[in-house]
Amino acid sequence: MISMKEVWKKYPNGVMAVNGIDIEIEKGEFVYVVGPSGAGKSTFIKLMYREEKPTRGDILIGGKNLAKIKERQIPLIRRNMGVIFQDFKLLPSLSVYENVAFAMEVIEESKANIRRRVMNVLEIVGLKNKARFYPHEISGGEQQRVSIARAIVNNPSVLIADEPTGNLDPDTSWEIMNILEDINNRGTTIVMATHNKEIVNTIRKRVIAIEGGRIVRDEAKGDYGYEK
Ligand SMILES: Nc1ncnc2c1ncn2[C@@H]1O[C@H](COP(=O)(O)OP(=O)(O)OP(=O)(O)O)[C@@H](O)[C@H]1O
Ligand SMILES: [Mg+2]
């Protein structure tokens, strides 16, 4: 499903953020990416959805090599991936419904079908009753749920998350995790960078630890492994 071979990333300022990563992630896996601040977790995640291009190495996702594709092919690749961030990144002038519908690939799709699909994903994240609200009218946890709905509206095979609970209180973080587990149980592969020790040590999944741009640990049902 996702395969990285000898991947390196050097930023234009000379920082080597990823130093020869090899990894295989199978379809349907749930993977936590942990490690100290500055370890290269976000860079690793960004390489996966081609926000950053590797300096060296191959990144195969669903048979396509992200290191080799042309700029104009990027949207095609991203159609098959959902991405969520710590700061939600919703469009403030659009309603909850519109934020999700806006992300939908609507090639020759009827209005009724769009509506059905958007309401369906809003139901999955428990926000059907807030479809008309605007981002500033809902809580942080609800905003993150909208961003999850937006990320899954095109039925991606991979969901990538960079500290999705980073801005949320503990209760809300658990709610978000329930939704992500639910999505994973429906077959979506999930890769999630996190600093949340409690979550990693409670909802046990594969753990990849990155330090200095290298994978230093890769464990099935692993633990967080750091003090905080
Ligand atoms: N756009 C950039 N240009 C130059 N250097 C960068 C850039 N983004 C990140 N870096 C550097 O690359 C290294 C890895 O950063 P990265 O953001 O991947 O770490 P991280 O593990 O996600 O950290 P955190 O836990 O704080 O989010 C750091 O040294 C960082 O300063
Ligand atoms: Mg980061």
Side-chain angles (χ1 to χ4, degrees):
M1 167 97 259
I2 302 172
S3 164
M4 289 197 182
K5 292 186 186 127
E6 269 296 298
V7 170
W8 299 72
K9 176 64 189 181
K10 184 183 191 175
Y11 282 114
N13 64 355
V15 171
M16 272 291 206
V18 163
N19 295 291
I21 282 190
D22 280 289
I23 187 109
E24 301 276 340
I25 296 172
E26 302 301 331
K27 186 169 168 37
E29 275 196 275
F30 193 126
V31 183
Y32 294 119
V33 181
V34 305
S37 186
K41 302 180 297 297
S42 292
T43 305
F44 174 76
I45 292 264
K46 285 175 181 166
L47 288 166
M48 237 174 242
Y49 65 95
R50 195 43 165 78
E51 174 72 18
E52 293 292 347
K53 195 178 176 177
T55 312
R56 205 141 55 81
D58 295 317
I59 303 173
L60 296 149
I61 297 197
K64 286 261 189 290
N65 190 343
L66 300 198
K68 302 260 161 70
I69 60 164
K70 303 249 179 344
E71 293 289 324
R72 60 180 160 78
Q73 292 178 289
I74 296 174
L76 199 71
I77 299 291
R78 295 221 182 118
R79 202 167 293 173
N80 201 24
M81 319 190 128
V83 188
I84 60 180
F85 305 94
Q86 180 170 0
D87 60 354
F88 326 133
K89 298 196 195 300
L90 300 178
L91 296 167
S93 62
L94 300 184
S95 69
V96 164
Y97 180 93
E98 290 162 346
N99 262 283
V100 178
F102 186 74
M104 203 172 154
E105 297 292 336
V106 286
I107 311 145
E108 290 173 14
E109 204 57 271
S110 72
K111 265 214 164 106
N113 280 342
I114 294 170
R115 179 152 191 94
R116 198 170 305 132
R117 179 70 193 148
V118 172
M119 291 315 282
N120 181 251
V121 289
L122 285 177
E123 184 163 23
I124 290 172
V125 301
L127 277 182
K128 232 171 134 182
N129 59 341
K130 301 231 162 138
R132 292 165 183 276
F133 286 48
Y134 283 80
H136 74 269
E137 298 175 312
I138 59 177
S139 71
E142 288 169 337
Q143 290 184 54
Q144 190 59 300
R145 288 196 263 156
V146 177
S147 94
I148 295 172
R150 178 182 60 185
I152 62 172
V153 74
N154 294 315
N155 246 324
S157 52
V158 185
L159 182 60
I160 292 169
D162 196 352
E163 298 193 41
T165 64
N167 283 358
L168 305 174
D169 62 67
D171 284 353
T172 311
S173 299
W174 289 111
E175 278 170 32
I176 293 300
M177 287 310 296
N178 285 337
I179 294 167
L180 293 182
E181 272 207 287
D182 185 32
I183 291 166
N184 178 241
N185 288 336
R186 291 165 195 249
T188 307
T189 308
I190 298 188
V191 182
M192 167 177 160
T194 185
H195 284 284
N196 197 316
K197 182 179 178 174
E198 286 69 35
I199 284 174
V200 173
N201 287 348
T202 306
I203 307 175
R204 292 278 175 151
K205 305 286 183 190
R206 179 176 175 187
V207 174
I208 294 169
I210 298 184
E211 290 178 22
R214 289 192 175 81
I215 294 179
V216 295
R217 180 164 59 98
D218 183 352
E219 279 179 337
K221 296 187 189 296
D223 70 357
Y224 184 71
Y226 298 96
E227 270 314 301
K228 61 179 210 82

